[in-house]
Amino acid sequence: MIKKTILSGIQPSGNLCIGNYLGALKQWNQMQNDYESIFLVVDLHAITTNQVPADLRNRCLSFTAQYIACGINPEQSKIIIQSHVPQHAELMWVLSCLTYQGELSRMTQYKSKSKNLKNINAGLFTYPVLMAADILLYQADLVPVGSDQKQHLELSRDIANKFNLDFNSKNFLIAPEPLIQKNFARIMSLKDGNKKMSKSDPSELSRINLNDNVDEIFNKIKKAKTDTQPLPENENELASRPEAENLLGIYSSLNDQSIKNTINEFSGKNFSEFKEKLASLVVDKISPISSEIKKLLKDEKFIDEVLNNGAQKADKIASAKIKNLKKIIGL
Ligand code: TYM
């Protein structure tokens, strides 16, 4: 039986955090046995904001190590640095000629990112088209992401459908299905329960990184924002208590249990007691990952092999797709 393909990616900016782990990597790990899997380190996306060249290059290697440490098996799944496969950028250009400016200006992530920047570059605006190219180049059926990427995926679907219609080439590009887990698809900042936890947030205290040590984890959870009430008695209370909801969500997600069960476990207790338990759980789950990251980073030759292998396999798929695409559009 032919397996369906899943594809996803993360920008190598900042440090991978538990938001990325719970929203993306944990799912990737669980799915890779059942699907042809492609996991990208999207360095071309990362240069939409200023990067120090040497740091960016190192981060690509480090993110590869972090994917593997989170359980991605490079013998089974393809791990690919986006810029190693030039066809991503080539397809992006073609797709950008089919994408309306109005659609791109409605992207909420563009609106919020551009609010904080002085010089908004064109790459930041057309960034979702590059994401569509990543997905459509490999005919991905499913794209597992956190809920913040849903709008970008809808755009990828629209672009695929428009291409097929305009060029009368039914199903040449496959409109991908988003795969957004139902629970905890959005982990929030430890400093503000209304703001997404982000690997590029300037405040280190806003997130737990996958390479944080035990002291850092305990300290960050201790300092995490909470309200003054004891932990809630039921789920209805969570609507007005975003920080409580987030911390309970992180606990539930790491422990693979429903938020209802977590509430039952801690209802009426105070935050200091819960935070101790949460910090221990985070350490239990994250420490093995961070020691594996350290080990892998010492073996640069292995990481290079993984990436060369990924690039070679990607090139086979990508060059065939671009060859056919050129025929279709008259290039
Ligand atoms: P990026 O790098 O911002 O995030 C990578 C993945 O992590 C998820 N995520 C979260 N999930 C839950 N809670 C959070 N706080 C949180 N923060 C991040 C994101 O939803 C995402 O799944 N444009 C994409 C990268 C990309 C891509 C692709 C994804 C480029 N090409 C093709 C899928 C397919 C991005 O910037 O993700």
Side-chain angles (χ1 to χ4, degrees), residues 214 217-218 277-289:
V214 175
I217 292 173
F218 268 88
K277 289 266 165 49
L278 175 62
S280 301
L281 177 65
V282 175
V283 168
D284 275 0
K285 300 284 176 181
I286 298 301
S287 288
I289 297 179

Side-chain angles (χ1 to χ4, degrees), residues 8-37:
S8 198
I10 303 184
Q11 280 190 71
S13 50
N15 268 315
L16 276 180
C17 66
I18 53 165
N20 303 117
Y21 177 66
L22 297 175
L25 280 154
K26 192 167 167 232
Q27 268 195 95
W28 300 1
N29 185 8
Q30 287 161 352
M31 297 179 78
Q32 65 181 337
N33 293 333
D34 300 325
Y35 294 90
E36 274 304 319
S37 307

Side-chain angles (χ1 to χ4, degrees), residues 32-52:
Q32 65 181 337
N33 293 333
D34 300 325
Y35 294 90
E36 274 304 319
S37 307
I38 301 176
F39 301 119
L40 305 170
V41 178
V42 292
D43 53 349
L44 295 174
H45 277 99
I47 58 168
T48 53
T49 54
N50 284 343
Q51 301 289 340
V52 176

Side-chain angles (χ1 to χ4, degrees), residues 194 232 234-245:
N194 291 309
N234 58 57
E235 281 183 78
N236 297 339
E237 281 182 51
L238 294 178
S240 57
R241 302 182 60 187
E243 282 82 21
E245 179 173 29

